[in-house]
Amino acid sequence: MTAPVILTRDKNIAAVSINRPAARNAVDAATANELRKAFLSLEHDGDIRVIVFTGEDGAFCAGWDLKTVSRDTGLDIAPPTGEALDTGGPMGPTRLQLSKPVIAAIEGPAVAGGMELALWCDLRVMAKSAYLGIYNRRWGVPLIDGGTTRLPRLIGESRAMDLILTGRKVDAEEAFAIGLANRLTDDGAAMETALELARQIAAYPPNGMLADWKSAREGLDGDMMGALEREFARGAEVIRSGESAMGAGRFASGKGRGGDFGDI
């Protein structure tokens, strides 16, 4: 059986890659658990200074695997609890507060929960044909992996509300213009560009770099765990209502592929 997550190390740089290309690297429960474990193992690896996060075969992540949601109207994920480092989010690592930077290398789609994974990262490198979007808006599936908290912090409330309410596609050029993407690359070059950026960051004296990085994050986060708890509580109500399962059923039946909003 093919591993859903690939973890590699090269000196002081590590790479974590989602490996479900047949599903555009959509995440199911097993993959989420493997992602969480991979990032925790790197957190405890003193040799690793920077992590690159990507997806195999030209896709970052198409979100949660809605085919699994369409088979189960229940909610089998736990809410955030305090400051515990190993508390996993539904998509895997999205509640982890690591002590080292993470760079997303994005080819193809980073949509729905996949966009939330990208928002969890500290920096985002996007290929020119890559795109973001809260595509789960079509299916009645809420953001419960930090998207409602992190997106306004990154691009401001007004722009965030546009993306949250419409769920529209955001191409790489727009993402760069509004501050969602930190670097643009040619198609197929996102991973190497992210690795080059990781090597540059890892080469700096670590104590000063990490001290400034942590201070910058703490200054913006405020009550991050409280915000995550509120986001989850509201999202859980939506999921329990059955709306998300109905939308996932439409997706599983073949509706709305390729970002089509015409059949909602």
Side-chain angles (χ1 to χ4, degrees):
M1 182 176 178
T2 304
V5 173
I6 299 172
L7 171 58
T8 58
R9 294 173 171 86
D10 183 10
K11 299 179 181 177
N12 55 9
I13 306 296
V16 176
S17 184
I18 305 173
N19 185 34
R20 300 187 76 224
R24 302 287 275 169
N25 294 322
V27 170
D28 59 8
T31 305
N33 187 51
E34 290 302 311
L35 283 172
R36 184 184 66 85
K37 290 196 296 184
F39 280 101
L40 280 175
S41 72
L42 296 173
E43 169 66 16
H44 297 299
D45 187 334
D47 294 328
I48 298 300
R49 291 191 180 181
V50 184
I51 305 168
V52 175
F53 188 15
T54 192
E56 293 294 300
D57 203 25
F60 183 74
C61 175
W64 185 260
D65 190 339
L66 287 178
K67 292 180 181 179
T68 66
V69 176
S70 67
R71 294 193 295 266
D72 182 8
T73 60
L75 185 67
D76 58 356
I77 49 180
T81 53
E83 299 289 339
L85 176 66
D86 61 352
T87 299
M91 291 291 294
T94 50
R95 294 176 195 153
L96 301 181
Q97 300 183 58
L98 304 185
S99 64
K100 54 197 73 177
V102 181
I103 302 171
I106 303 171
E107 302 273 356
V111 296
M115 181 170 173
E116 292 187 280
L117 288 175
L119 296 176
W120 172 72
C121 298
D122 296 283
L123 299 172
R124 282 151 294 280
V125 175
M126 291 185 68
K128 291 179 180 178
S129 66
Y131 56 95
L132 305 163
I134 301 172
Y135 281 13
N136 47 302
R137 183 58 58 240
R138 296 167 293 164
W139 311 117
V141 178
L143 296 170
I144 54 175
D145 278 270
T148 64
T149 299
R150 295 185 176 107
L151 188 59
R153 284 167 163 77
L154 288 171
I155 62 173
E157 181 181 352
S158 180
R159 285 190 171 117
M161 286 303 179
D162 176 11
L163 304 190
I164 289 170
L165 293 176
T166 68
R168 66 180 177 84
K169 181 179 180 179
V170 182
D171 63 27
E173 291 285 349
E174 181 181 1
F176 183 73
I178 65 177
L180 271 180
N182 302 94
R183 303 284 191 279
L184 295 185
T185 72
D186 292 332
D187 291 346
M191 184 61 178
E192 183 51 42
T193 301
L195 287 170
E196 290 175 3
L197 184 56
R199 287 190 284 266
Q200 175 187 348
I201 294 170
Y204 292 132
N207 293 338
M209 182 270 290
L210 290 175
D212 289 347
W213 169 71
K214 291 174 184 176
S215 294
R217 291 188 64 175
E218 289 171 0
L220 288 172
D221 284 349
D223 183 22
M224 173 63 81
M225 288 307 298
L228 290 173
E229 289 167 3
R230 291 188 291 274
E231 178 193 69
F232 182 89
R234 294 186 181 106
E237 289 181 9
V238 174
I239 295 173
R240 281 193 290 266
S241 76
E243 181 177 284
S244 302
M246 290 175 60
R250 294 198 305 275
F251 174 85
S253 71
K255 303 292 185 182
R257 301 301 170 90
D260 181 14
F261 275 60
D263 186 359
I264 298 175

